[in-house]
């Protein structure tokens, strides 16, 4: 069964600083990987995804993530944080070795951006 | 993307009562998923609902507690039965569409508080 681990339930950065949110997965075959963002009192919005091909994927709002098979990681980064980036971020995985179509989510990381 | 509408958006319920959450999608989808997000926690899959067949429940969730209907390809309901304060959560409907790219689209969620 697949699983997702997000290191750090809370991350605080200064405005303009680098954002790094960590995600490691466990899966017997390379999975599909996703990052979602949840703003207060809202549903989840897809930031970016990796399925196949280029391992560095770019998403909305200046975020990007790199799939590293050797490290089983899919960390989310943004060069310069903005106040509007403050939200909860979830990494998710869909294993491709089963017929399971649902996603398994990590525990989430709350990003705070300090002025 | 997909437009997913959930009703109610929030509700306060009394212990022992039941509440039905509706999920309406703007186009036909094969698979719909119901997730629960307990306060301050990640998303946990309750069940997968396919039109024309019984819902498939995840470990820890049973049909008597969370009956699901899927009468057509654009609509589903989730009932939370005999509620207790532990059922206070956000319940999210999600769908997969547009081929097998894997991502799910989410409604805004239904925030239930059980007193």
């Amino acid at each position: 069964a697949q699983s997702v681990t997000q290191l750090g339930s809370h991350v605080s950065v200064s405005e303009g600083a680098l954002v790094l949110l960590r995600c490691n997965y466990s899966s017997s075959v390379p999975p599909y990987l996703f990052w979602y963002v949840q703003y207060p009192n809202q549903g989840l919005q897809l930031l970016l995804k990796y399925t196949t091909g280029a391992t560095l994927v770019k998403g909305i709002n200046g975020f990007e993530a790199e799939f590293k098979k050797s490290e089983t990681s899919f960390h989310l980064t943004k060069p310069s944080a903005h106040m509007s980036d403050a939200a909860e971020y979830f990494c998710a995985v869909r294993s491709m070795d089963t017929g399971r179509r649902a996603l398994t989510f990590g525990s989430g990381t709350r990003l705070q951006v300090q002025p | 993307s997909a437009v997913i509408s959930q009703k109610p958006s929030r509700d306060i319920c009394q212990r022992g009562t039941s509440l039905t959450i509706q999920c309406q999608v703007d186009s036909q989808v094969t698979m719909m998923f119901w997730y629960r997000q307990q306060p301050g926690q990640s998303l946990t899959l309750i069940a997968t609902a396919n039109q024309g067949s019984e819902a498939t429940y995840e470990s820890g969730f049973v049909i008597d507690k969370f009956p699901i209907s899927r009468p057509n390809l654009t609509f589903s309901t989730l009932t939370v039965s005999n509620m207790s304060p532990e059922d206070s959560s956000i319940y999210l409907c999600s769908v997969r569409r547009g081929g097998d790219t894997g991502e799910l689209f989410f409604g805004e969620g239904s925030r239930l508080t059980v007193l």
Side-chain angles (χ1 to χ4, degrees), chain B residues 46-67:
Chain B
I46 297 172
T48 301
N50 293 333
Q51 194 269 337
S53 63
E54 293 287 326
T56 303
Y57 289 82
E58 297 297 301
S59 176
F61 298 95
V62 295
I63 188 171
D64 289 346
K65 176 67 176 177
F66 298 101

Side-chain angles (χ1 to χ4, degrees), chain A residues 6 32 34 36 38 40-46 49 51 88 90 94 96 99-108, chain B residues 10 31 33 35 37 40-45 48 58 90 92 96 99-109 111:
Chain A
Q6 290 184 240
Y32 286 2
F34 308 86
Y36 283 85
Q38 186 178 35
N41 299 313
Q42 296 188 26
L44 274 73
Q45 179 183 4
L46 181 69
K49 65 180 179 181
T51 54
E88 187 91 19
F90 293 97
R94 176 187 161 194
M96 301 311 293
R100 184 182 178 86
R101 296 291 187 266
L103 302 186
T104 299
F105 285 83
S107 55
Chain B
R10 58 179 62 229
M31 306 182 88
F33 306 90
Y35 282 86
Q37 186 178 21
Q41 309 219 0
S42 186
L43 282 76
T44 302
L45 181 67
T48 301
E58 297 297 301
I90 301 172
L92 294 129
R96 184 178 63 84
D100 197 29
T101 52
E103 72 261 36
L104 300 185
F105 298 94
F106 286 83
E108 301 260 322
R111 183 183 296 269

Side-chain angles (χ1 to χ4, degrees), chain A residues 37-40 82-89 110-113:
Chain A
V37 61
Q38 186 178 35
Y39 297 102
H82 191 273
M83 296 295 289
S84 61
D85 295 326
E88 187 91 19
Y89 292 80
R110 183 169 297 278
L111 176 65
Q112 291 182 312
V113 182

Side-chain angles (χ1 to χ4, degrees), chain A residues 5-34:
Chain A
T5 301
Q6 290 184 240
L7 292 177
S9 58
H10 289 82
V11 170
S12 181
V13 300
S14 299
E15 191 173 20
L18 171 72
V19 176
L20 171 61
L21 304 183
R22 299 178 185 274
C23 173
N24 288 87
Y25 69 89
S26 172
S27 177
S28 56
V29 299
Y32 286 2
L33 294 158
F34 308 86

Side-chain angles (χ1 to χ4, degrees), chain B:
Chain B
S1 64
V3 176
I4 304 169
S5 302
Q6 282 187 237
K7 292 181 180 178
S9 58
R10 58 179 62 229
D11 207 340
I12 299 174
C13 309
Q14 296 299 317
R15 181 196 298 258
T17 62
S18 299
L19 183 78
T20 296
I21 301 167
Q22 299 179 3
C23 178
Q24 179 75 52
V25 188
D26 65 340
S27 61
Q28 295 182 345
V29 293
T30 303
M31 306 182 88
M32 297 178 76
F33 306 90
W34 286 98
Y35 282 86
R36 180 176 73 180
Q37 186 178 21
Q38 293 178 299
Q41 309 219 0
S42 186
L43 282 76
T44 302
L45 181 67
I46 297 172
T48 301
N50 293 333
Q51 194 269 337
S53 63
E54 293 287 326
T56 303
Y57 289 82
E58 297 297 301
S59 176
F61 298 95
V62 295
I63 188 171
D64 289 346
K65 176 67 176 177
F66 298 101
I68 288 172
S69 77
R70 184 78 202 275
N72 58 52
L73 290 174
T74 64
F75 187 78
S76 178
T77 67
L78 168 76
T79 299
V80 186
S81 303
N82 188 24
M83 287 186 284
S84 67
E86 292 70 36
D87 295 318
S88 297
S89 296
I90 301 172
Y91 293 86
L92 294 129
C93 170
S94 69
V95 304
R96 184 178 63 84
R97 59 181 291 184
D100 197 29
T101 52
E103 72 261 36
L104 300 185
F105 298 94
F106 286 83
E108 301 260 322
S110 298
R111 183 183 296 269
L112 301 188
T113 301
V114 184
L115 303 179

